[in-house]
Amino acid sequence: MSQRIENAVALVTGANRGIGREFVAELLRRGVKKIYLGARDPASLADLVALDPARLVPLKLDVTNAADVADAARIATDVTLLINNAGFAGGQGVISAPDLSIARQEMDVNYFGVLSLSKAFAPVLAKVPESSIVNVLSFLSLVTLPSAGTYSASKAAGLAASRSIRAELLAQGTQVVITMPVQVETDMGRSLPEPRLQPLDVVSETLDAVETGVEEVFPGELTRTVATAFAADPKGVQAHMSTRLPA
Ligand SMILES: NC(=O)c1ccc[n+]([C@@H]2O[C@H](COP(=O)([O-])OP(=O)(O)OC[C@H]3O[C@@H](n4cnc5c(N)ncnc54)[C@H](OP(=O)(O)O)[C@@H]3O)[C@@H](O)[C@H]2O)c1
C-alpha cells in the first residue's frame, strides 16, 4: 500500500511546533491540497496559517479531549492522511517519579491520543481509495531509556497499538506508517545527547515512506545506525541504555 502526497488532505496533530510544524512545511512543498492543523491552542498557529491561508485550516485539538477529537472528525471529513504527531515527554523514571501523574499524561497523549484519533478518523479514511495514518513514535518504542522510563512505556504501547491498527485497517485499504526516530532537535529533544536529527530528516523520510509503502521507518542516518546495532544485539543496546538513569 502507498499514497501520493500531492493533492492529499492531511491532518497533523501538534502542528504548532517541533516536528509537527516541519510536517506542515514539507507537506505544503509536496503539493497537498489542504492541511488541518491541530493544536491545543489555535492562537499558536496564527503565523503558520498566514503562510498559506488557502490551504491551512486551524483546529482546536487536544488529543486527550474526547469532545475535541469528535469535533475534528465532524469538521475534517475530507482527510486522507492523518499524522499522529502530538507527543509529551515528562523526562522521568518509573520508580523515582514522585507519583503517577506524568506517566498517566504520557499515556493519555502518546497512547490514548493515537488510539482516539485513529478510531475517530478510520471511517473518514475508509471513504477514499488511498489513505494513511502516520504514527510518530520513537526508537524508545523498542528500547527503554530509564531516564525517560514512563515515556518509553507509552511509546512502546503506541507501537503495539499501531501494529494492531494496521491489521484492522488493512481491509479498508488504509496504510499505517510508523516512524521511530532517535533524538531530534526540538523543544522535546534539546536536552538529549548530541548529535541529534533535524526535524526535516524525520519528516522527509517518513513522507517518502508513505509514498513508497514502507511500513516502519528509522529516519535519518543516526537512527539507522542505532537500529542496525539493535538488530545485531538487542540486549547489548538495552544494557547500554539502562546505564542512563534518572537524575
Ligand atoms: N524530539 C525528540 O527527540 C523525539 C524523538 C522521537 C520521537 N519524538 C516524537 O515526535 C513527536 C513530536 O515531538 P517534538 O519533538 O516535535 O516535541 P515538541 O517540540 O515538544 O512538540 C510537541 C507537540 O505536541 C503537542 N502536544 C502535547 N500534548 C498535546 C495534547 N494533549 N494535544 C495536542 N497536542 C499536544 C505540543 O503542543 P503544545 O505546544 O500545546 O504543548 C507540541 O505541538 C512526539 O510524538 C514525540 O514523542 C520526538
Side-chain angles (χ1 to χ4, degrees):
M1 252 186 282
S2 63
Q3 179 181 13
R4 276 165 308 141
I5 303 289
E6 194 178 4
N7 288 323
V9 176
L11 190 164
V12 180
T13 67
N16 54 311
R17 60 191 173 99
I19 296 170
R21 201 178 181 92
E22 195 67 48
F23 264 114
V24 174
E26 182 62 12
L27 287 165
L28 289 173
R29 284 192 286 268
R30 292 190 188 206
V32 287
K33 193 194 285 180
K34 190 197 288 183
I35 313 175
Y36 293 96
L37 311 177
R40 290 192 284 193
D41 174 10
S44 65
L45 295 166
D47 62 327
L48 194 52
V49 173
L51 294 177
D52 196 337
R55 286 194 288 167
L56 298 177
V57 182
L59 272 187
K60 182 197 169 315
L61 179 53
D62 179 334
V63 301
T64 68
N65 180 316
D68 281 4
V69 174
D71 283 349
R74 248 192 314 273
I75 295 165
T77 53
D78 51 353
V79 168
T80 64
L81 169 60
L82 167 65
I83 302 186
N84 286 313
N85 162 78
F88 169 65
Q92 60 163 26
V94 173
I95 297 298
S96 51
D99 56 40
L100 299 186
S101 57
I102 296 286
R104 287 191 204 284
Q105 192 183 343
E106 288 167 333
M107 276 292 180
D108 262 354
V109 179
N110 303 336
Y111 173 64
F112 287 110
V114 169
L115 256 60
S116 161
L117 265 294
S118 301
K119 209 166 157 50
F121 278 89
V124 173
L125 298 171
K127 293 189 299 188
V128 289
E130 280 186 9
S131 63
S132 309
I133 296 176
V134 172
N135 289 339
V136 183
L137 302 180
S138 165
F139 202 78
L140 299 181
S141 301
L142 296 171
V143 181
T144 287
L145 178 67
S147 58
T150 53
Y151 170 80
S152 302
S154 71
K155 288 292 184 178
L159 176 60
S162 298
R163 288 176 173 160
S164 190
I165 293 167
R166 177 184 293 138
E168 287 193 60
L169 296 187
L170 180 66
Q172 73 171 48
T174 299
Q175 74 169 340
V176 176
V177 172
I178 297 164
T179 189
M180 292 181 273
V182 293
Q183 60 269 31
V184 188
E185 190 69 39
T186 64
D187 295 338
M188 185 186 289
R190 218 151 271 144
S191 63
L192 296 169
E194 290 184 343
R196 295 186 282 267
L197 299 170
Q198 292 304 311
L200 186 57
D201 299 331
V202 178
V203 164
S204 172
E205 293 188 26
T206 302
L207 293 179
D208 287 349
V210 170
E211 298 203 277
T212 56
V214 174
E215 291 183 340
E216 302 196 353
V217 192
F218 295 110
E221 227 15 80
L222 189 58
T223 310
R224 274 190 292 281
T225 302
V226 180
T228 303
F230 181 70
D233 180 13
K235 282 189 178 169
V237 172
Q238 182 59 67
H240 174 70
M241 299 289 263
S242 292
T243 62
R244 290 164 54 187
L245 294 170

